[in-house]
Every structure is written in C-alpha cells, then in structure tokens.
Amino acid sequence: MSIAVKSIFSADSDPKAIRIVLLNDHEGKALVLLPANMLLNLVSIWKHSGRHLQPVRGRDAVKFFSQAALKAEAGQEKLFHLPVFLDQSLKDYDSFNVIESYTGLAFEAHKKWFTSSLSLCVLGMTPQMIEKHQPEGSDEQVITRAVERFTTLRIQQRLEDTLGLPPLAPSMKRLIELRSDPSAGIDDLVPLVRGDASLAAQVMSWAASPYYAAPGDVHSVEDAVIRVLGFDLVVNLALGVAMGKTLTVPDDTPRDGVPYWQQSVYTAAAAELLCKKIPAEIRPKPGLIYLAGLLQNFGYLVLAHLFPPHFSLLSRYIEANPHMALEFIEKQVMNVTREQIGSWLLDDWGLPAVVVEAVRYHNDLNYDGQASDEAKLIHCVNRALRRHGLADGPVEALDEAVLKQLTLTEADIEDALATVLDSRGELDALVHTIMHAQHAH
C-alpha cells in the first residue's frame, strides 16, 4: 500500500522549507537536509560520502519520525547526533524549518545542534535544473537517445526491433482492429474469444468476478460477453491484460508502492465511473476511458524491461523523493518518462489515438489536443486515488480549471472514489484473476 505524501509544490511558497531525509547503510543511519522543492540526487551523496546510503522504506520512515520523543525539542536536537549532509545552498542558514515527507513532521532545527557532525555537499536539483539537462526532440528521438545511452542496444532501423519486445499475438492484433472499428460488435468478438483458449478462460473468470455481479451462473463465452461483460469491457480488459502480459512486472519496484495491476484496475474502474458523471453531449467514450485508465501506467513496465539496472536505481530515487512528481525523477535517472515510452509503444501497436494521447499527456495540464478531456479525466482519477494510497506519486490538489473543463466537482470525484472503495474486495478479486492469467501465460 502506498503512503500518501504531499507534493513539493505545496512547499514552494516557503523558501526556508527544508526537507529532512533518513538514509542508512551497513555503517548506520544518516540525515540529509536540502530545500524542500529539490530532488535528492543519491549519486551525489554516494560520491561525496564514499558510502552507499539508501533511503529507508516509507513505512520505516513513518515509524522512525513518529516517535514521541521527536515532538519535543530535546528529542529533535538528539536526532541530529546522526551524521548530517547539508545541501551547499543552505550553508549560511542558522536555523531550518524542517519537514519530513512521509509523516509531515515539522519543526525548527538549529545549526548549532549539528556543527560537529555536519558535511556540506551539492545534493539537490530543482525540476528546472533537471529539465535543462534533458535531450531535445520528439518522443522517439528522446527514447532513442535514452536507449543508446543507458543500454548496450544498437538502434536498428525500426526502434521497436531494437527493444526486443515480444510480438503481439494474432488474436491481440485482431482485438486492436475491433477496438478501432466503429462498426464492430459482439458477432465479431465472440468467435475471436472462443478461438483463443487463454482469452476465453480469462473472459469466463472475469464474468464470474463478484465485481460484475452477474445474476445466475455463466455457462459459455457467449453468455459471458453478451449477458455480463459487453463488447467494450471484454475488448478493453483483454487488451489491457495483453499489453501488460507482453512485459513482466519488475521485482525491484519502490517498496511500499501500489502494485502495478491494482493501480491499473482501480484507475480504470474509477475513470469509467467518473466519465459517466459528465453530461452526455460532451462525455468521452467510457470504453476508451476505461482502456486509457488500464494502460496509463504501462510505460512503467517498458522502463523496467528496457533498463533493468537503472530501474532499480529509479526505485531508490522514488523512495528518496516521495514528494516529487515522478516524471522529474524519471528524467533525472533515465532521461525519458514512462508516459513517453508507454504511449510511443501503444501507438506503434496501433491502439486508438485517443487512448495513446491520454496515456501520454495525463500529467500535462497544458495539453489541449484531441484527447484533452480523456487525459484530464485520468489525471483527476489518478490524483484522487493517491489521496487514498491507491496510486503512486505525491498528493496534489485538483486544479479547479481542469474540473471546470470536465464539468465535474470535487463531490463527483469523491462519490466515484467512494463507490470504488466500497468495491475493493471485488476489484481485488479481479486483480487476482488478471495476475493469475499472467502467471499461467
């Protein structure tokens, strides 16, 4: 379960807001102090200290900083008996308004507490500094540079050949065609499902899932598709799972993060519910919204597949910087984001453009292309799930202008979330079914 953490942007208003981070290694614990709006660059501290200090996992940080002693000044002063690494930009400060990301613990710390254990170094990077060092160009050019820089792969004429990704099964290519064909219907879908034993078994198990609460038993694929799930849902679930199945969920993810399939299924379910609250005349297609929700984090699997050693490093950076937007952490570690690489691959596989763009731009509130509503809807759902520890990333307030564009209110969002939270048992059963299908693959 993820631990909800406030975004850096709430710290921007106080230039003296200083983040305190607990690290450890086999030699013991150490503290880092740096401006709250900065990313802690782990490589800098490793070089400076000669130690391989790692962030403690979120739940351990919560336990440590929730100690009763840290509510009093004497305990706070004692905390600074640990070695302290201070960002160079803070060297002239005599006191610091420190804040800890996981617990929100905040107090005033004085430099005189730790002058003897202090080590000055350049530790932090702002989002602007990270952006300055990013390669220019289209998503494909950015991906190409990252692949060449971080792997031994030689770029071939077709980037997808280079990536060594398994090809999609013929039944999946046919599903993508059905998804993109406005005249396709149940009669096209049922024979396709029936002809693929693994897909048929999945459809039957989804139809039996308590989340879809079908009255009576489900006896056949036709029954499952026609009476329980419907065309849209079967195509979307099958595609979402097929995309995910081409790549395995990595082992070394950020500890205490939300499991990949849980986040995908919850996002899809909440996005579809919220979509139905938008007035019919401007409502995006709920089926495409569901699919975009299911695939919004797909690039995360692609990053793990392409850059295994760097993906472990990325996981540690995410743990050390839980207050920062994930895209800046990914840019710093890999020069490419999950949104860029995920949407590029989905586009290459021929998924509908609206889905591809919603996946690419759901974190970019300035985007106003053809999938603007879809992208912003996924954005709102993702941020709402973060509040409940059901999606990764810092907790941010929803943008009023975005809600206005979608003709939604905070109450609409909370209502959709409440429905999802009430259905957690059933949704978790669906997640289990999908993961079981993956392992059986």
Side-chain angles (χ1 to χ4, degrees):
M1 186 57 60
S2 176
I3 295 163
V5 168
K6 283 263 185 293
S7 157
I8 52 167
F9 302 109
S10 53
D12 276 357
S13 52
D14 180 2
K16 277 192 78 177
I18 309 301
R19 191 161 69 94
I20 184 168
V21 186
L22 181 66
L23 304 178
N24 67 1
D25 63 3
H26 61 277
E27 291 178 43
K29 296 185 176 73
L31 296 175
V32 170
L33 295 182
L34 74 166
N37 65 341
M38 283 188 164
L39 170 135
L40 168 57
N41 191 349
L42 290 170
V43 172
S44 296
I45 203 161
W46 296 340
K47 283 180 179 164
H48 175 86
S49 66
R51 295 170 62 178
H52 200 56
L53 287 157
Q54 299 283 0
V56 301
R57 64 188 295 164
R59 69 179 72 163
D60 293 337
V62 169
K63 211 180 287 179
F64 184 85
F65 286 104
S66 299
Q67 294 176 85
L70 290 180
K71 295 194 170 42
E73 189 173 293
Q76 293 159 3
E77 182 174 350
K78 197 173 170 193
L79 173 65
F80 285 89
H81 292 178
L82 291 169
V84 177
F85 296 94
L86 185 70
D87 187 74
Q88 187 79 36
S89 64
L90 307 176
K91 66 180 192 309
D92 297 329
Y93 285 39
D94 292 319
S95 66
F96 310 87
N97 300 328
V98 296
I99 182 156
E100 198 281 316
S101 299
Y102 285 105
T103 55
L105 173 72
F107 59 90
E108 189 176 17
H110 302 280
K111 197 174 190 175
K112 61 184 183 196
W113 291 353
F114 53 88
T115 38
S116 58
S117 58
L118 172 63
S119 191
L120 271 178
C121 42
V122 178
L123 294 171
M125 301 181 76
T126 62
Q128 292 77 11
M129 289 157 79
I130 293 169
E131 287 287 15
K132 217 163 100 180
H133 295 110
Q134 293 311 303
E136 304 268 304
S138 68
D139 281 355
E140 183 149 353
Q141 290 166 326
V142 167
I143 294 164
T144 300
R145 287 206 195 99
V147 168
E148 288 178 326
R149 183 173 169 193
F150 295 113
T151 72
T152 54
L153 297 172
R154 304 239 71 78
I155 295 292
Q156 298 169 12
Q157 271 181 311
R158 283 160 44 104
L159 185 50
E160 58 272 30
D161 293 341
T162 300
L163 305 187
L165 294 163
L168 283 180
S171 60
M172 290 309 139
K173 289 185 177 155
R174 181 76 186 106
L175 273 174
I176 293 172
E177 287 167 17
L178 290 185
R179 176 70 279 178
S180 303
D181 178 358
S183 63
I186 297 267
D187 293 344
D188 305 288
L189 178 61
V190 169
L192 176 64
V193 174
R194 232 195 275 121
D196 182 324
S198 142
L199 181 54
Q202 280 176 50
V203 167
M204 292 295 284
S205 63
W206 295 332
S209 155
Y211 186 65
Y212 299 112
D217 292 338
V218 179
H219 295 293
S220 65
V221 167
E222 287 90 331
D223 203 19
V225 176
I226 295 165
R227 185 167 62 85
V228 183
L229 301 169
F231 175 87
D232 253 9
L233 187 60
V234 171
V235 173
N236 294 332
L237 269 172
L239 277 179
V241 174
M243 303 293 142
K245 263 169 53 171
T246 55
L247 302 164
T248 48
V249 176
D251 292 330
D252 191 7
T253 55
R255 297 162 300 177
D256 300 331
V258 182
Y260 175 82
W261 281 113
Q262 188 183 34
Q263 186 164 317
S264 299
V265 167
Y266 276 66
T267 304
E272 186 181 36
L273 281 169
L274 198 56
C275 182
K276 289 175 179 171
K277 292 180 181 290
I278 295 174
E281 61 278 10
I282 57 163
R283 181 186 301 156
K285 290 184 175 159
L288 291 179
I289 282 290
Y290 186 94
L291 185 55
L294 208 53
L295 293 172
Q296 48 87 34
N297 208 20
F298 174 64
Y300 183 68
L301 298 185
V302 188
L303 288 178
H305 170 83
L306 271 185
F307 310 110
H310 292 89
F311 189 82
S312 291
L313 183 63
L314 175 66
S315 295
R316 301 296 80 78
Y317 265 75
I318 290 171
E319 290 169 355
N321 298 285
H323 65 307
M324 184 167 271
L326 294 167
E327 66 184 288
F328 294 118
I329 307 177
E330 288 166 357
K331 283 178 176 178
Q332 171 59 21
V333 177
M334 293 174 170
N335 291 156
V336 65
T337 68
R338 65 185 72 185
E339 288 78 27
Q340 287 174 302
I341 206 159
S343 60
W344 172 81
L345 188 54
L346 295 174
D347 184 45
D348 190 66
W349 279 342
L351 267 85
V354 165
V355 172
V356 170
E357 294 206 12
V359 169
R360 172 65 182 86
Y361 294 109
H362 68 272
N363 287 323
D364 179 1
L365 294 183
N366 295 319
Y367 163 75
D368 65 352
Q370 63 173 336
S372 178
D373 286 355
E374 289 83 352
K376 289 181 174 63
L377 189 61
I378 299 295
H379 174 92
C380 291
V381 165
N382 177 268
R383 296 320 185 266
L385 286 168
R386 289 180 188 186
R387 296 175 191 169
H388 297 275
L390 290 168
D392 292 325
V395 174
E396 302 162 10
L398 289 175
D399 188 302
E400 286 297 326
V402 169
L403 291 175
K404 198 170 171 189
Q405 178 182 324
L406 296 171
T407 66
L408 291 170
T409 62
E410 275 278 1
D412 291 329
I413 288 175
E414 282 311 311
D415 187 45
L417 255 281
T419 307
V420 165
L421 292 170
D422 286 344
S423 310
R424 283 187 67 166
E426 293 91 333
L427 285 170
D428 287 342
L430 183 61
V431 170
H432 179 75
T433 308
I434 291 172
M435 288 172 66
H436 180 71
Q438 278 225 296
H439 296 312
H441 184 61

